[in-house]
Amino acid sequence: MSEAIEFITQAQLPTAYGEFVVHVFEHQGQEHLVLTHGTLGTDDVVLTRVHSECLTGDGLFSLRCDCGPQLAYAMEQIAQAQQGMIIYLRQEGRGIGLTEKIKAYHLQDQGLDTFDANVQLGHPPDNRNYDMLAGVFQHLAVTQVRLMTNNPDKIKSIESQGVQVVDRVPIKVGHNPHNQFYLKTKKDKFLHLD
């Protein structure tokens, strides 16, 4: 059983997509963020994105992945819906960390896909963990979500923690000539949905 996630603080966060509130949580010594927009009621089906940190995609606008465009899309959709949340998990590189992710990039430059590169470095293909989500949903009194994802593992993990995924909202953004092999690998080996 993993230790509980702890709420630390919150503040207003004006963004290019509108006003959000940023909440800081801590779990096993790692800080995670939640961005909320609008009022989240206990009976609401909340538009939600669970997004794992990707410095290269989210902050450096890398074209190797679709992470940055997915995050921007989620913020835009939540702002348009006038309600929702993004759970931003600090699990860089599918949970292997930034340095190992760059090592995996080097192996990808030599022809490996992201799945096999992680394995060659001695990591699981996807080392992320979603156990802390139950505490986040409980703190925010969210019991039902419309989940923006293509990843079936996120759906299963959230539902296993007692939160109902009422609907899955596919994310189809960020495709470019540099990430076609990456996107094919997500579908073929990580079994991501269309």
Side-chain angles (χ1 to χ4, degrees):
M1 180 98 175
S2 63
E3 67 183 66
I5 192 164
E6 180 185 0
F7 170 73
I8 305 299
T9 191
Q10 70 183 51
Q12 296 296 314
L13 187 70
T15 76
Y17 302 97
E19 290 285 333
F20 284 78
V21 176
V22 60
H23 310 255
V24 178
F25 291 85
E26 187 174 301
H27 181 254
Q28 297 180 344
Q30 180 67 62
E31 298 165 324
H32 302 281
L33 300 176
V34 177
L35 297 177
T36 60
H37 182 73
T39 303
L40 309 183
T42 55
D43 296 327
D44 294 338
V45 178
V46 178
L47 185 59
T48 301
R49 167 80 181 150
V50 176
H51 188 91
S52 294
E53 178 179 45
C54 177
L55 176 64
T56 51
D58 299 340
L60 301 176
F61 315 106
S62 168
L63 297 177
R64 292 185 81 123
C65 64
D66 55 348
C67 302
Q70 286 185 345
L71 179 60
Y73 175 81
M75 292 182 75
E76 180 181 40
Q77 293 303 302
I78 288 168
Q80 286 178 7
Q82 300 183 345
Q83 183 200 57
M85 68 179 183
I86 296 170
I87 302 172
Y88 193 89
L89 300 177
R90 306 290 304 284
Q91 301 189 110
E92 181 71 53
R94 287 200 176 93
I96 66 172
L98 183 58
T99 299
E100 292 298 292
K101 173 179 160 176
I102 302 305
K103 289 179 183 177
Y105 276 2
H106 178 70
L107 293 175
Q108 290 167 43
D109 290 343
Q110 297 171 31
L112 292 183
D113 62 35
T114 181
F115 185 104
D116 291 335
N118 282 11
V119 170
Q120 185 164 321
L121 290 169
H123 303 291
D126 191 335
N127 199 37
R128 292 177 291 183
N129 183 310
Y130 303 108
D131 290 349
M132 76 285 287
L133 294 180
V136 171
F137 287 122
Q138 184 177 9
H139 179 82
L140 296 170
V142 172
T143 60
Q144 301 177 91
V145 297
R146 292 182 62 230
L147 190 64
M148 289 184 276
T149 190
N150 300 330
N151 185 343
D153 290 339
K154 288 182 186 177
I155 298 168
K156 289 177 198 163
S157 182
I158 289 169
E159 288 182 331
S160 74
Q161 297 178 56
V163 173
Q164 183 182 5
V165 177
V166 174
D167 186 27
R168 178 185 75 91
V169 179
I171 300 184
K172 298 182 180 189
V173 296
H175 298 219
N176 69 71
H178 301 280
N179 67 13
Q180 293 307 303
F181 185 48
Y182 167 82
L183 296 174
K184 184 177 185 322
T185 301
K186 287 204 322 188
K187 185 174 181 180
D188 294 348
K189 292 191 175 180
F190 292 101
L191 305 179
H192 281 206
L193 306 167
D194 287 329

